[in-house]
C-alpha cells in the first residue's frame, strides 16, 4: 500500500490564496448535481407554466432546487422528506391565507404554526426550515388562485424525484473515494505505530493512536455514501448493474470498521510498550505485513481480482500470529500486542470475502 510522501511542498503567498485547484475539484464533483438541478427546475417550471398555465410558477422551481441541493447524500428518501417539508409549509400558508388574509401578523403566525407542525412531524431541523421558507414565499408573493402554489410545489417535487432516478449521481465514484480515504488514513495510522515499535518511540506510537482514533468520521462518510448509493440504485434503471458492487463494498466497509477498532487496541498496547524506549522490530514487521495485506483489500475496491491476493497475503500473516511461537520468552505485554493483532487480521480477512469462521480458523489456536 503506497502512502503519501513524508514531506510535501506547502503553497504559500499568492499561490495559497489564488490556487484554483480546490475550486475546480468542487465544480467537477458537483457536475451531476448541477445537471440534476438545472433539468428538474427548468422542467418543472416549463410544465407548470406551459402545460398547466400557471402565470408564475416560482415554487415549482424552488422546490426542486431546495430538495436536490448539492449535498453528497441525495438518496430518494432524503429528497422526498425535503419535498414533503416544503409542501407542508405551502399548505399551512395557503390555509391561513384563506382564513386570515395577508399582513405582518399573519406572516408571523404562519411561520410559527409551520415551524411547530414541522417539528412535531419530523426530528430533522432541515425539514422545519424547508417548510418555513416555502410558507414565507407563499405569504409574501401573491397568487391569482388559492392552492395554485401547492400544485406548483407538487410539480417541483415530482420533478426532483424523477431526475434522482433518471439522472442519478454516480454512487460508486463517491463510495470509492471515501473508501480509499479510509484505507489511506489506516495506513498513516499504522505507519506511525510501526515506526514507534521499530524505534521504541512512544511519541510516534501515540501519534498513531491519535490517527487511529480519527478514523471514525471517514468511516461514517463512507457508510453515508454507500447508503445513498444503494437507495438511488434501487429506483434508478441505470444503476442496476452497480447494485452488487455497492453491496460488496458495504461488506468491506463493515469489516474495515471492525478492523479500525482493533487497530486502536493495537495502538494503545504499542503506546504502553514503547514507554520503556526499547525497539520491537518483530512486532513492527508483523504490523507492516498486515498493512501490506490491507493494501490489497484497498485495491480490491477498484478491482475484484485483488481479493484473492489480499486473502493470500493476510492468511500468510495470520498463520504466524502465535505469540508464544513468534516471540518466545518475550514479556506478557509484547505477547499481548501480537494477540491484539489477531482480530485485526480476522476482520481484514472477512473484508476479502472469507467467511468469518474460516477467517478465525486461519489464526493459530492459543
Amino acid at each position: 500500500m503506497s502512502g503519501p510522501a513524508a514531506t510535501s511542498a506547502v503553497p504559500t503567498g499568492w499561490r495559497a490564496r489564488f490556487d484554483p485547484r480546490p475550486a475546480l475539484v468542487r465544480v467537477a464533483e458537483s457536475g451531476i448535481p448541477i445537471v440534476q438541478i438545472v433539468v428538474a427546475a427548468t422542467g418543472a417550471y416549463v410544465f407548470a407554466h406551459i402545460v398547466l398555465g400557471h402565470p408564475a410558477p416560482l415554487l415549482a422551481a424552488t422546490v426542486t432546487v431546495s430538495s436536490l441541493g448539492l449535498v453528497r447524500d441525495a438518496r430518494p428518501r432524503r429528497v422526498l422528506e425535503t419535498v414533503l417539508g416544503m409542501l407542508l409549509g405551502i399548505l399551512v400558508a395557503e390555509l391561513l391565507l384563506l382564513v386570515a388574509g395577508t399582513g405582518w401578523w399573519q406572516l408571523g403566525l404562519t411561520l410559527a404554526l409551520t415551524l411547530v407542525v414541522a417539528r412535531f412531524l419530523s426530528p430533522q431541523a432541515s425539514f422545519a426550515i424547508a417548510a418555513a421558507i416555502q410558507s414565507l414565499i407563499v405569504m409574501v408573493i401573491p397568487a391569482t388562485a388559492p392552492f395554485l402554489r401547492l400544485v406548483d410545489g407538487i410539480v417541483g417535487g415530482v420533478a426532483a424525484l424523477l431526475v434522482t432516478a433518471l439522472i442519478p449521481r454516480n454512487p460508486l465514484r463517491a463510495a470509492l473515494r471515501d473508501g480509499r480515504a479510509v484505507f489511506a488514513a489506516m495506513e498513516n495510522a499504522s505507519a506511525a505505530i510501526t515506526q514507534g515499535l521499530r524505534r521504541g518511540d512512544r511519541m510516534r506510537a501515540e501519534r498513531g493512536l491519535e490517527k487511529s482514533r480519527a478514523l471514525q468520521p471517514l468511516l461514517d462518510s463512507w457508510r453515508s455514501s454507500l447508503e445513498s448509493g444503494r437507495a438511488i440504485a434501487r429506483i434508478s434503471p441505470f444503476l442496476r448493474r452497480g447494485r452488487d458492487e455497492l453491496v460488496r463494498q458495504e461488506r468491506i466497509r463493515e469489516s474495515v470498521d471492525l478492523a479500525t477498532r482493533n487497530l486502536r487496541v493495537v495502538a494503545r498496547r504499542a503506546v504502553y510498550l514503547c514507554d520503556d524506549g526499547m525497539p520491537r522490530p518483530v512486532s513492527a514487521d508483523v504490523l507492516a505485513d498486515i498493512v501490506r495485506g490491507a493494501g490489497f483489500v484497498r485495491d480490491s475496491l477498484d478491482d475484484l481480482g485483488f481479493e484473492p491476493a489480499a486473502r493470500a497475503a493476510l492468511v500468510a500473516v495470520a498463520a504466524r500470529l502465535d505469540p508464544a511461537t513468534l516471540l518466545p520468552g518475550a514479556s506478557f505485554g509484547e505477547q499481548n500486542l501480537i494477540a491484539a493483532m489477531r482480530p485485526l487480521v480476522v476482520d481484514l480477512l472477512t473484508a476479502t470475502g472469507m467467511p468469518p469462521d474460516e477467517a478465525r480458523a486461519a489464526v493459530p489456536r492459543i
Side-chain angles (χ1 to χ4, degrees):
M1 190 190 294
S2 59
T7 59
S8 58
V10 177
T12 59
W14 67 270
R15 291 184 179 180
R17 292 192 296 270
F18 300 106
D19 186 359
R21 287 173 294 184
L24 292 174
V25 169
R26 286 197 304 273
V27 172
E29 291 178 349
S30 300
I32 294 299
I34 289 172
V35 171
Q36 283 184 325
I37 291 172
V38 171
V39 170
T42 305
Y45 182 89
V46 169
F47 182 85
H49 183 57
I50 296 178
V51 178
L52 300 182
H54 295 181
L58 172 64
L59 293 183
T62 59
V63 165
T64 59
V65 175
S66 300
S67 58
L68 289 170
L70 295 174
V71 295
R72 60 186 297 127
D73 185 2
R75 71 190 77 183
R77 180 178 177 178
R78 189 201 65 81
V79 174
L80 179 60
E81 287 176 352
T82 306
V83 168
L84 291 177
M86 290 184 283
L87 293 180
L88 172 67
I90 297 171
L91 178 61
V92 170
E94 291 279 16
L95 291 173
L96 283 176
L97 273 176
L98 290 177
V99 174
T102 61
W104 65 267
W105 67 268
Q106 291 93 332
L107 174 64
L109 177 62
T110 301
L111 284 175
L113 184 58
T114 300
L115 289 170
V116 169
V117 173
R119 288 303 281 166
F120 177 80
L121 294 176
S122 173
Q124 301 296 327
S126 58
F127 182 90
I129 295 302
I133 291 174
Q134 300 306 314
S135 68
L136 181 63
I137 293 175
V138 171
M139 293 300 294
V140 171
I141 301 176
T144 56
F147 300 105
L148 199 65
R149 287 163 297 193
L150 182 61
V151 175
D152 290 341
I154 293 173
V155 170
V158 171
L161 290 170
L162 282 175
V163 300
T164 300
L166 300 178
I167 312 177
R169 305 182 188 187
N170 189 336
L172 283 175
R173 182 183 302 169
L176 283 171
R177 182 180 63 246
D178 292 339
R180 292 190 200 105
V182 169
F183 277 99
M186 278 184 66
E187 179 192 4
N188 287 334
S190 302
I193 300 167
T194 301
Q195 290 174 358
L197 289 169
R198 202 177 300 282
R199 302 179 185 182
D201 188 336
R202 179 186 171 93
M203 289 185 63
R204 286 185 181 271
E206 286 179 339
R207 182 59 177 157
L209 177 58
E210 292 174 2
K211 290 183 176 182
S212 64
R213 286 171 173 165
L215 287 168
Q216 195 57 50
L218 296 175
L219 285 159
D220 292 342
S221 294
W222 192 9
R223 184 186 68 247
S224 177
S225 294
L226 288 169
E227 289 176 352
S228 178
R230 293 201 308 276
I232 295 172
R234 279 194 290 268
I235 69 167
S236 175
F238 305 108
L239 296 177
R240 290 176 181 173
R241 293 182 179 180
R243 293 176 190 174
D244 291 341
E245 180 59 26
L246 289 167
V247 170
R248 187 179 74 90
Q249 280 204 37
E250 175 59 19
R251 181 251 297 163
I252 295 175
R253 186 205 63 79
E254 289 176 351
S255 297
V256 170
D257 193 351
L258 295 173
T260 59
R261 300 179 193 185
N262 285 310
L263 180 63
R264 289 194 283 271
V265 175
V266 171
R268 285 193 293 269
R269 294 188 179 181
V271 170
Y272 172 76
L273 283 176
C274 289
D275 207 26
D276 60 9
M278 296 294 294
R280 290 174 171 82
V282 175
S283 299
D285 289 342
V286 172
L287 184 56
D289 289 341
I290 294 172
V291 174
R292 278 191 285 272
F296 289 115
V297 180
R298 177 207 60 196
D299 294 337
S300 73
L301 291 174
D302 296 281
D303 187 349
L304 182 62
F306 279 98
E307 279 196 352
R311 194 175 302 125
L314 290 166
V315 165
V317 180
R320 299 161 51 198
L321 293 180
D322 183 343
T325 302
L326 190 63
L327 293 171
S331 68
F332 182 71
E334 289 182 85
Q335 292 193 358
N336 264 347
L337 176 62
I338 298 299
M341 296 181 190
R342 293 161 60 91
L344 171 60
V345 173
V346 170
D347 292 334
L348 290 172
L349 280 171
T350 60
T352 69
M354 180 179 285
D357 290 342
E358 292 183 23
R360 288 190 288 269
V363 180
R365 290 179 177 269
I366 55 174

